[in-house]
Amino acid sequence: MNFLDKMERKYGRYALSHLTMYIIVTYIAGYIIQLAAPIMRQYLTLEPYYILHGQIWRLVSWILIPPSSLDIFTIIMLFFYYSIGTSLERAWGDFKYNVYIFSGILMTIIGSFLLYGILYAVNGYPSLMGTAFSTYYISLSIFLGFAISFPDMQVLLYFIIPIKIKWLAYLDVALLAYSMITSIMSGNWAGCVVILCSLANVLVFFLMTRKGKRSSFQQNRRRKEFKKAVSRGEAEYRNPNGITKHKCAICGRTEKDDPNLEFRFCSRCNGNYEYCQDHLFTHEHVK
């Protein structure tokens, strides 16, 4: 049993349920503040200089600053992040998801003070960082966590193009790497500190649990075994008459539609409900 499992046994009862919903609510509250009293934004940012001078609320208030401006695409993204966030909660459990999110918030705060110290040492006087640290990276960490756990999940890019979520994650990582390289080449080390500290929870969490690596290995092994079974025509997966044996209760796909699909029964649903690999962890449990 790894460290997180031991911690969950001791403190799991204190974990917040529906944490993704609370995150989305804070974003909505931030948009309301921006529309109703935009001048308040400057009192919410994560600024170590002001925190050290008594404005302690900034340690928490920066979470109210939404990751982007409000438009129709932002509303769609909020629904998207709510969907993938709640899926992670179901797959990991409340405690591990809490650790993942709150460790990201804590590392962001630590990173802000680290950057403040660097700027103070270089400039010789206190520096303000504006909104260098924002909730954008919290949302991105949720997306990357989902992509690592469910790399083969398909989404519709621009509502038209089906694409596996892992390719979108690769694109995000490439853009982050490019941003870090350009920051280094321009001498802007502050940009690297912001990215590394804000997303350190992604690296630390998956190094501790190795969840992504373990899931990927088991999934690839099961896929290979399934392909071998299909090629041999074993009755375990399909009977001699070609009648399908597995069918997803959500999308209706069977092993005839895609031989690579894996099917499992959900132990938390009341009744014999079978789901494909894309909906096993994302469906609503039947009670």
Side-chain angles (χ1 to χ4, degrees):
M1 183 180 298
N2 61 34
F3 175 74
L4 278 180
D5 290 330
K6 294 179 180 179
M7 294 295 291
E8 185 173 8
R9 290 186 62 182
K10 288 184 177 181
Y11 308 108
R13 62 182 179 274
Y14 300 114
L16 292 176
S17 299
H18 310 295
L19 180 57
T20 303
M21 181 183 66
Y22 296 139
I23 294 174
I24 300 300
V25 168
T26 60
Y27 289 170
I28 295 174
Y31 285 122
I32 294 175
I33 292 174
Q34 285 186 359
L35 295 174
I39 195 173
M40 286 187 60
R41 180 186 176 93
Q42 60 182 318
Y43 298 103
L44 302 177
T45 57
L46 181 59
E47 293 284 2
Y49 174 80
Y50 292 121
I51 294 173
L52 295 174
H53 285 77
Q55 298 184 12
I56 306 299
W57 67 82
R58 290 178 181 266
L59 288 171
V60 178
S61 63
W62 67 276
I63 302 175
L64 290 171
I65 301 177
S68 60
S69 58
L70 181 61
D71 53 33
I72 184 62
F73 295 103
T74 301
I75 296 175
I76 294 173
M77 289 304 297
L78 289 179
F79 280 105
F80 175 71
Y81 279 117
Y82 176 78
S83 175
I84 64 176
T86 51
S87 297
L88 283 182
E89 286 183 275
R90 296 192 191 104
W92 295 355
D94 291 337
F95 180 79
K96 290 179 181 177
Y97 186 71
N98 275 230
V99 171
Y100 183 70
I101 296 299
F102 286 119
S103 63
I105 293 174
L106 178 61
M107 290 177 185
T108 300
I109 295 173
I110 294 174
S112 69
F113 279 90
L114 177 62
L115 179 56
Y116 176 78
I118 294 174
L119 294 178
Y120 184 84
V122 172
N123 299 328
Y125 57 86
S127 301
L128 301 181
M129 298 179 300
T131 57
F133 291 88
S134 70
T135 53
Y136 166 78
Y137 293 104
I138 295 179
S139 301
L140 184 57
S141 69
I142 295 175
F143 173 77
L144 293 177
F146 185 85
I148 294 174
S149 298
F150 308 104
D152 295 323
M153 176 72 74
Q154 283 194 345
V155 295
L156 293 179
L157 184 63
Y158 301 117
F159 305 101
I160 299 176
I161 307 173
I163 184 172
K164 291 185 177 180
I165 202 166
K166 65 181 178 181
W167 299 117
L168 296 178
Y170 289 150
L171 178 60
D172 277 331
V173 171
L175 292 175
L176 289 173
Y178 174 77
S179 178
M180 292 182 62
I181 292 173
T182 54
S183 296
I184 293 174
M185 294 180 63
S186 62
N188 179 25
W189 291 93
C192 296
V193 174
V194 171
I195 295 174
L196 290 176
C197 292
S198 298
L199 294 176
N201 66 317
V202 180
L203 179 62
V204 172
F205 188 86
F206 283 97
L207 283 179
M208 289 178 64
T209 63
R210 297 184 181 181
K211 180 178 180 66
K213 182 177 180 180
R214 181 169 62 248
S215 298
S216 177
F217 172 77
Q218 292 177 347
Q219 188 179 47
N220 289 336
R221 184 183 63 183
R222 291 195 300 267
R223 183 177 292 111
K224 290 179 181 179
E225 292 175 351
F226 185 85
K227 288 182 177 179
K228 290 180 180 179
V230 171
S231 64
R232 292 195 304 265
E234 292 185 356
E236 179 181 359
Y237 296 97
R238 183 180 300 178
N239 64 21
N241 297 324
I243 301 175
T244 58
K245 185 175 181 179
H246 302 285
K247 183 177 181 180
C248 178
I250 300 297
C251 63
R253 289 186 295 177
T254 68
E255 71 272 17
K256 293 180 65 176
D257 298 318
D258 186 354
N260 294 325
L261 279 179
E262 300 172 22
F263 296 85
R264 295 290 185 273
F265 285 95
C266 179
S267 60
R268 297 178 59 183
C269 290
N270 292 334
N272 295 324
Y273 290 93
E274 190 175 22
Y275 303 95
C276 67
Q277 64 192 36
D278 293 337
H279 296 106
L280 179 60
F281 297 105
T282 59
H283 68 274
E284 293 290 338
H285 296 295
V286 179
K287 300 300 183 181

